[in-house]
């Protein structure tokens, strides 16, 4: 019996009946989350807000850490079972303070949804010198999960869902220069690298944590209309990527391929709650199912090959996952022994 997903050993669709059109409300139908405690980062906007509302509606108590408390209160107004706490995923001391407050409540943590993320931003660094997309999209996931580990273990059955992206196809992880100190900064490469890191973290976390009844999943939400991810992106970048025409208008075929926010939150909610995943962890999911594994290119096994879906094998590599774990502990000074 295969117990881990290194090299994509368990990366096979399981025919759930869900697809790209399924919504978060659809995939959670019939599931009762009473007595469930969840944390959703980025849970007051976009697909994070939808995730928060769906989990709360199913009976979960949902804690939403937010950088802008007033904005969070406004966006979450009227949703029952919500707690809002201050946290900035780019500031290590802020993550520590949030985690310490939660741990002091002595509550178990059944669901940790690492949803917060950024994209299409210029070169920035956090106070440790870590490039901002890597810091937000991956390092923040590692840091928060490490600090909340006692509560996850206490749950005697918890799930960690790391929101990744098809964007991991854009770049493997560059161990020699993760922070663009010796190469030119390219925002999409930085984004791709951060999402590959999230996948590697997921497969390694699951392998280490499963003996404590904690399972981990990476999810690709899809390309979503109506989120705030593109707020800093220049028009020229979208034109270069083929999303916009020469007049700056979104192309019809691109518009037709976009998911709604309820559809975009579906795979996150499915990974967090589905009975289909009992006994399975460390997998990358999309469209309410486990995604297909993309075979490595034998000529260039370490390079990304773009596809419309599926997971790149290099982002599930055992040696890369273990190496990244050790590197992250060194970069952050945060030991995460999982014990």
């Amino acid at each position: 019996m295969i117990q881990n997903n290194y090299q994509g050993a368990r990366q096979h669709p399981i025919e759930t009946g869900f697809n790209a059109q399924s919504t978060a409300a659809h995939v959670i139908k019939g599931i009762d989350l009473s007595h469930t405690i969840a944390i959703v980062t980025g849970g007051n906007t976009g697909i994070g807000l939808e995730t928060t509302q769906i989990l709360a509606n199913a009976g979960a108590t949902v804690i939403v850490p937010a950088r802008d408390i007033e904005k969070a209160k406004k966006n979450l107004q009227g949703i029952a079972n919500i707690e809002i706490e201050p946290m900035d995923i780019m500031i290590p001391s802020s993550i520590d303070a949030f985690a310490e407050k939660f741990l002091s409540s002595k509550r178990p943590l059944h669901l940790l949804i690492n949803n917060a993320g950024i994209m299409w931003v210029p070169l920035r660094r956090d106070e440790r010198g870590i490039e901002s997309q890597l810091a937000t999209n991956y390092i923040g996931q590692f840091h928060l999960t490490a600090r909340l580990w006692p509560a996850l273990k206490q749950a005697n059955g918890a799930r960690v869902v790391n929101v990744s992206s098809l964007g991991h196809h854009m770049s493997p992880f560059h161990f020699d220069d993760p922070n663009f100190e010796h190469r030119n900064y390219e925002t999409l490469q930085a984004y791709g690298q951060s999402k590959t890191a999230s996948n590697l973290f997921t497969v390694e976390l699951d392998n280490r944590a499963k003996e404590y009844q904690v399972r981990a999943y990476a999810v690709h939400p899809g390309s979503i209309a109506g989120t705030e991810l593109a707020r800093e992106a220049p028009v020229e970048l979208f034109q270069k990527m083929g999303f916009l025409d020469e007049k700056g208008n979104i192309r019809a075929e691109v518009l037709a391929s976009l998911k709604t926010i309820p559809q975009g939150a579906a795979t996150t909610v499915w990974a967090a709650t589905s009975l289909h995943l009992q006994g399975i962890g460390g997998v990358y999911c999309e469209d309410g199912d486990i995604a297909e594994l993309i075979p490595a290119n034998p000529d260039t096994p370490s390079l990304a090959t773009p596809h419309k879906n599926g997971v790149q094998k290099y982002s599930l590599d055992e040696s890369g996952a273990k190496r990244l774990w050790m590197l992250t502990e060194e970069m952050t000074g945060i030991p995460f022994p999982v014990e």
Side-chain angles (χ1 to χ4, degrees):
M1 180 68 176
I2 297 170
Q3 295 297 317
N4 61 59
N5 193 39
Y6 292 136
Q7 323 307 136
R10 304 200 71 172
Q11 199 65 49
H12 310 289
I14 53 178
E15 307 302 326
T16 63
F18 301 127
N19 55 42
Q21 284 70 51
S22 299
T23 65
H26 183 196
V27 302
I28 204 174
K29 189 174 181 180
I31 294 176
D32 181 8
L33 296 182
S34 301
H35 312 296
T36 297
I37 309 295
I39 291 174
V40 182
T41 67
N44 69 95
T45 62
I47 63 171
L49 174 56
E50 181 73 8
T51 300
T52 296
Q53 183 160 3
I54 290 293
L55 296 178
N57 288 349
T61 296
V62 185
I63 298 95
V64 179
R67 184 176 56 183
D68 187 334
I69 295 295
E70 292 309 311
K71 177 181 178 181
K73 287 179 178 178
K74 179 180 178 181
N75 290 352
L76 295 166
Q77 187 175 8
I79 304 175
N81 308 321
I82 299 296
E83 300 174 18
I84 302 171
E85 296 289 346
M87 191 186 81
D88 188 331
I89 201 75
M90 279 279 285
I91 301 176
S93 60
S94 179
I95 297 175
D96 289 338
F98 168 80
E100 287 168 11
K101 183 173 182 180
F102 181 81
L103 293 177
S104 71
S105 74
K106 306 298 183 182
R107 291 180 291 180
L109 178 59
H110 304 93
L111 300 176
L112 174 56
I113 314 295
N114 286 313
N115 168 81
I118 58 174
M119 187 180 187
W120 290 310
V121 298
L123 178 59
R124 297 189 184 110
R125 303 184 190 280
D126 72 3
E127 62 188 46
R128 299 165 294 196
I130 299 172
E131 185 273 322
S132 66
Q133 293 188 84
L134 184 62
T136 302
N137 299 344
Y138 162 61
I139 297 291
Q141 295 181 346
F142 182 97
H143 188 161
L144 184 60
T145 306
R147 293 299 192 228
L148 291 172
W149 172 247
L152 289 164
K153 188 168 64 171
Q154 182 187 340
N156 293 316
R159 294 188 184 186
V160 178
V161 180
N162 296 319
V163 175
S164 181
S165 171
L166 187 71
H168 80 274
H169 291 207
M170 297 176 186
S171 177
F173 191 84
H174 290 266
F175 285 96
D176 296 333
D177 188 20
N179 293 307
F180 291 85
E181 295 170 325
H182 308 293
R183 57 191 169 122
N184 292 331
Y185 180 74
E186 214 300 313
T187 188
L188 291 178
Q189 283 190 16
Y191 180 74
Q193 173 183 249
S194 73
K195 295 303 186 177
T196 290
S198 185
N199 292 356
L200 290 168
F201 171 50
T202 299
V203 72
E204 185 64 20
L205 174 63
D206 186 77
N207 187 57
R208 296 183 184 216
K210 64 181 184 291
E211 67 176 287
Y212 301 101
Q213 290 75 55
V214 179
R215 305 309 300 253
Y217 307 91
V219 303
H220 167 50
S223 296
I224 319 297
T227 73
E228 298 182 1
L229 268 181
R231 58 184 176 268
E232 292 193 67
V235 170
E236 292 77 15
L237 181 58
F238 289 114
Q239 290 173 324
K240 180 181 178 182
M241 295 173 67
F243 292 170
L244 304 180
D245 62 23
E246 60 280 359
K247 295 182 179 179
N249 298 315
I250 189 168
R251 297 184 184 277
E253 63 272 21
V254 173
L255 185 62
S257 70
L258 296 179
K259 288 186 177 183
T260 65
I261 286 176
Q263 290 169 341
T267 305
T268 299
V269 171
W270 177 78
T273 64
S274 176
L275 298 178
H276 287 107
L277 290 169
Q278 287 185 334
I280 302 173
V283 289
Y284 172 97
C285 306
E286 63 186 10
D287 297 338
D289 203 340
I290 299 173
E292 294 275 6
L293 179 68
I294 299 170
N297 185 328
D299 299 319
T300 55
S302 65
L303 297 178
T305 304
H307 287 71
K308 292 183 178 179
N309 48 38
V311 59
Q312 296 282 357
K313 195 171 185 179
Y314 60 70
S315 76
L316 304 173
D317 177 69
E318 180 176 4
S319 62
K322 294 183 185 304
R323 184 181 179 188
L324 179 63
W325 192 285
M326 291 188 294
L327 177 63
T328 307
E329 289 183 322
E330 292 171 8
M331 289 172 66
T332 63
I334 299 166
F336 189 2
V338 188
E339 58 187 23

